[in-house]
Amino acid sequence: MVDILHRVGMKSSLDDVYKALATREGLAGWWTTSTQGDSKVGGTIQFRFSEDGRDIGGFVMKVLELQPARRVQWQVVDGPAEWVGTKISFDLKQEGDWAVVLFKHQDWKEPVEFMHHCSTKWATFLMSLKSLVETGKGVPAPDDIKVSNWH
Amino acid sequence: MVDILHRVGMKSSLDDVYKALATREGLAGWWTTSTQGDSKVGGTIQFRFSEDGRDIGGFVMKVLELQPARRVQWQVVDGPAEWVGTKISFDLKQEGDWAVVLFKHQDWKEPVEFMHHCSTKWATFLMSLKSLVETGKGVPAPDDIKVSNWH
């Protein structure tokens, strides 16, 4: 099992970061504008992505854990085969003026090329989260930063 | 042992990407302007970083492998304790109009918080490499993108 890890920090309160991770509106502001579903524990959230207006796939997450200002964890229940069964977590902590997010996308079966791609994409989406929380404006899909021919 | 993985693609020739990875001038254009040393196999390259004009540390890499338009590999021989002994590789391949880079920073002993930080920083530096190769201008340190209170 292999994991994608990231750390970002934003000049913000933990409450604001938590809101961006634990609500449909927050998630739509930095990951993908097409975010639907129930963001409570036990609920599922559907994240969809499109290109030139055409749906190109997405992920369904079951919300496993919500600890206000502390931690959000999901399990992937539908999406690309490599993602299904993996877990995604965001651990939050305050360091001075900074809200720090430790991100883990864990339990990939193999370090496939798609995992390399997702690692880079997660970094750009976490920078989008930082931008949303610090400035009020993220860069969610479909306007997300393209990192390669795989977008 | 745990690894940082990334994948970026740039509209470019493999030769241009290789030049940005295998020469002192190339590396100074996307990672850190303070790049010194001998970029031939067996040589060592010194990468330094500064903040407000003050040196804050860096890395010394021994060049293990140089395969034109194919692969560059280094071993970290000096720098932060967590980095020493780890290996960094860039594998290149052409996909249509795109030069694709598969990046690995491997053999970290533990998935420490600093590894999370370095994973995110590598993503932003690889986006700087993409920018250098596609537009002629990267964003190397000290003007690199800050991802947190750890910069």
Side-chain angles (χ1 to χ4, degrees):
Chain A
M1 297 285 194
V2 282
D3 305 338
I4 294 169
L5 308 175
H6 286 295
R7 181 187 188 277
V8 288
M10 34 218 97
K11 288 210 168 176
S12 151
S13 70
L14 293 178
D15 285 341
D16 284 351
V17 181
Y18 180 75
K19 223 173 289 173
L21 296 171
T23 67
R24 203 195 58 74
E25 295 71 20
L27 293 163
W30 65 269
W31 195 16
T32 175
T33 55
S34 177
T35 299
Q36 306 291 337
D38 170 12
S39 64
K40 291 195 293 290
V41 172
T44 55
I45 314 175
Q46 293 86 45
F47 300 95
R48 302 299 305 179
F49 296 82
S50 62
E51 209 175 283
D52 305 326
R54 184 175 49 89
D55 184 289
I56 53 164
F59 314 103
V60 180
M61 308 290 186
K62 183 172 176 182
V63 180
L64 295 186
E65 218 181 317
L66 287 179
Q67 292 184 42
R70 289 281 298 280
R71 179 172 163 85
V72 171
Q73 192 186 31
W74 304 324
Q75 180 149 37
V76 183
V77 293
D78 200 8
E82 298 91 337
W83 278 54
V84 175
T86 61
K87 287 183 184 168
I88 293 165
S89 60
F90 305 84
D91 283 286
L92 316 185
K93 59 178 175 176
Q94 193 80 40
E95 292 187 0
D97 293 343
W98 297 78
V100 172
V101 178
L102 291 180
F103 170 89
K104 284 193 184 61
H105 183 173
Q106 59 192 136
D107 298 343
W108 287 70
K109 287 192 192 79
E110 300 288 341
V112 291
E113 187 168 345
F114 183 46
M115 182 177 168
H116 293 64
H117 168 74
C118 294
S119 175
T120 313
K121 284 298 288 192
W122 272 126
T124 63
F125 282 120
L126 291 165
M127 292 301 285
S128 167
L129 166 66
K130 174 178 166 69
S131 170
L132 173 67
V133 169
E134 289 183 341
T135 73
K137 199 172 155 35
V139 282
D143 297 324
D144 53 317
I145 291 163
K146 308 307 186 230
V147 306
S148 75
N149 53 334
W150 287 1
H151 305 288
Chain B
M1 296 285 196
V2 281
D3 307 338
I4 294 170
L5 308 175
H6 287 294
R7 180 186 188 277
V8 288
M10 34 216 98
K11 288 210 168 177
S12 150
S13 70
L14 292 178
D15 285 341
D16 283 351
V17 180
Y18 181 74
K19 222 174 288 171
L21 296 171
T23 66
R24 202 195 58 74
E25 294 72 17
L27 292 163
W30 65 269
W31 196 16
T32 175
T33 56
S34 178
T35 299
Q36 306 291 337
D38 171 12
S39 64
K40 291 193 294 291
V41 173
T44 56
I45 315 175
Q46 293 86 44
F47 299 94
R48 302 299 305 180
F49 296 81
S50 62
E51 210 174 284
D52 306 325
R54 182 174 51 86
D55 185 289
I56 53 164
F59 313 103
V60 181
M61 308 291 187
K62 182 172 175 182
V63 180
L64 295 187
E65 219 182 316
L66 287 178
Q67 292 185 41
R70 289 279 300 279
R71 180 172 161 85
V72 171
Q73 192 187 30
W74 305 323
Q75 181 149 36
V76 182
V77 293
D78 200 8
E82 297 91 338
W83 279 54
V84 175
T86 61
K87 287 182 184 169
I88 293 164
S89 61
F90 305 84
D91 283 286
L92 316 185
K93 60 178 176 174
Q94 194 80 39
E95 291 188 0
D97 292 343
W98 297 78
V100 172
V101 178
L102 291 180
F103 170 88
K104 283 193 183 62
H105 183 175
Q106 59 191 138
D107 297 343
W108 286 70
K109 286 191 194 78
E110 300 289 340
V112 290
E113 188 168 344
F114 184 47
M115 182 176 168
H116 293 63
H117 167 75
C118 294
S119 175
T120 313
K121 284 298 288 192
W122 273 126
T124 63
F125 281 120
L126 290 165
M127 292 301 285
S128 167
L129 166 66
K130 175 177 165 69
S131 170
L132 173 68
V133 169
E134 289 183 341
T135 73
K137 197 168 158 38
V139 282
D143 297 324
D144 53 318
I145 291 163
K146 308 308 186 230
V147 305
S148 75
N149 54 333
W150 288 1
H151 303 291

